[in-house]
Amino acid sequence: MKPLSLRYTLIFATLATLTLLGGGIWALSGHNPAVQTAAAPKEAKSPAAAQIKAPQPVLPESRPLPVSEALSQRVTEYHLDAQLLPSTGSLMASEAVTWTHPGQKPVQDLYFHLYPNAFASGDTTFMKESGGKLRGDTMPTNGYGSMTLTDLRTSDGVSLMQRLQYVQPDDGNVNDKTLVKVHLPQPVSGGESVTLKLKFEVKMPKVFARMGVSGNFVMAGQWFPKISVYEPAGTRGVKQEGWNLHQYHGTSEFYSDFGIYNVTLSVPPNYTVAATGFPVKTAKLKQGQKIYKFYADDVHDFAWAASPDFVVAEEAFSSPEVPGVRIKLYLDPLHKDLQERYFQAAKAALNTFSKWYGPYPYSTLSIVVPPKEGSGAGGMEYPTLITAFGAAENMPGTQLERTIIHEIGHQFFYGMVASNEFEEAWLDESFTSYAEDRLMEQEYGVASNLPLQASLVPSAQPLTLETWKYTGDDSYTRNIYIRGKLVLKDIERQVGTKTMDAILAAYARKYRFRHPSTEDFQRTVEKVTKKSWQTYFEHYVYSGGAPDFAINHITNTISKAGTDKEGLRYESSVTVSNRGSQYGDVPVKFTFADGYTVQRYWNGENKQTTFQLSYKAPLLSAEIDPEHSVLLESKHLNNFRVAELEPDTLSRWTLSMTNLIENLLGTLVW
């Protein structure tokens, strides 16, 4: 997801030259019928209480699913049925979910994320941490929304409503109801499955944070009760299996397991729906409602958008890297004449990212362009569906392409390489931002000013912090979107572009449809480069390290060996230091009064070192990292120093110094 507040406030408004972050990606292929299916898991035994039958509400039943090759473990299977009520901005829905235990120890508690409850009041964890703001948008007046579970039963009809307990493992905030525990009548053993049936209502908030309603536009993201991730031992390096449990925080996004989604959506007849996956049949009118049916597999979320105003366009796309995908645009009318730009950006992203990170395995990609008033739903990624920024103008700049490319990038780093966005968000946002920058320069000739971006990270913090633990103004955004990307660029600087391509390709392909960790990425780097990166990762990934180079002192002395003025030689001594984290192979540029320059390299092994130089002219200045190639340094003011020369020396070299200082000042305003 793109951080709008940093993008516009910090970069465009304040620094003007910097464009950060942008589009997204999802890459290739289609669903192959009649391949092999995994063996059906054992069903957990029903409790004895299930023998007592009582009148039950109508709940969704499992339906036959399209047969396809399983790309993921498919831990979950959802059957969802929802009706949109635009007059009240609400959803009436039911859910049948089957969870297959991926671990070994018996489990008697299931946990569900109820994300819409983040917007229930000003006292929820999300609202308290965010202050009711996200990416430049503010919670509208009376814009609250929530989710209410109205029924919860076993597959045999036993009510579990009295077994619900809201939990707050992160902060103990009793006003936060974004995570609920369900105590099962009987434990589920490893390899067994359990099915629960739910009914729920969602009062959609007014759009400001990814989901909600704005006029007649609806963005249903994170709209249904979603089972948390149960991590077997070894997943993301965990030593003991168990649930990964977090509330919905002001800076956090999401984490869930791969599965199957079979979804029926009922909307007013004049509405058009865009959704994850593909329609299994043409939408039909029934009893005054338009009924859509969608199916998706090997995805870990399902989102949809609806509006009577969408301008719909569709194109088929294929290439050597993308066998076949239908790109679907759902445009706000203000952007109806920009179809070509959206399609071009999407095709470039699908084709190139599939080439770099492995083929896009889905048959569809939907792009939703919200109205201006619904911009809070823009710049977001979901499996096979992304949102552009709201249509605020009819002739936007290249931020249109950047946003599309960034969000399609998330189809790989988040969609398929499904990292934990609660705890290791950099594996999602930093990797996508890195890919975005590279493709924007390749396709549109737009290069990011990386040294300038580095200066926006005055306080480096570990990249593996849980998102809500970043401290300071915009610290999460500055570290996860900028600094993490710069770490990847710095690794590329050290190993070369070709090797970096090999690293990312190996990582993306190995961990497709899995949940990798930072340590998994580190092991990939070490395997490809055939050397240890432990010290580097300890300094710059697992902690908030940053180099801070400085020119401490410069001295010039006249060599006693010289007697004739024309034969004088100057002995210069320059002391440099690194007041921050260790960093080697740092260039140091020395400029003499007659314009001659020489560059040396400092191995960075000690905190301080001294360079000795001998030349016919006095040393005028010294500068560490003159090209600002060390992207992890954000403090450059002490990297440059002009020597203090004696009056007679100053007089002799006045003209040369004047010209040189003018040139130097010109190069310093990077």
Side-chain angles (χ1 to χ4, degrees), residues 365-383:
L365 173 69
S366 296
I367 302 171
V368 175
V369 182
K372 177 181 179 181
E373 296 76 15
S375 61
M380 189 61 197
E381 69 279 358
Y382 307 94

Side-chain angles (χ1 to χ4, degrees), residues 445-467:
V446 179
S448 293
N449 189 325
L450 298 179
L452 188 55
Q453 292 184 26
S455 70
L456 297 176
V457 192
S459 177
Q461 296 185 49
L463 296 176
T464 51
L465 279 181
E466 294 167 324
T467 64

Side-chain angles (χ1 to χ4, degrees), residues 18-93:
L18 188 59
T19 52
L20 289 177
L21 315 172
I25 220 179
W26 278 86
L28 167 173
S29 191
H31 294 78
N32 298 324
V35 197
Q36 66 186 90
T37 56
K42 296 177 292 182
E43 179 75 21
K45 295 180 181 178
S46 301
Q51 303 302 319
I52 304 174
K53 299 293 183 180
Q56 304 300 325
V58 178
L59 292 164
E61 297 297 332
S62 296
R63 302 176 178 88
L65 297 171
V67 178
S68 63
E69 181 182 8
L71 301 176
S72 67
Q73 191 175 356
R74 297 185 179 179
V75 172
T76 57
E77 180 179 322
Y78 290 90
H79 296 264
L80 296 157
D81 195 326
Q83 181 181 9
L84 171 64
L85 304 175
S87 60
T88 59
S90 60
L91 302 175
M92 302 292 291

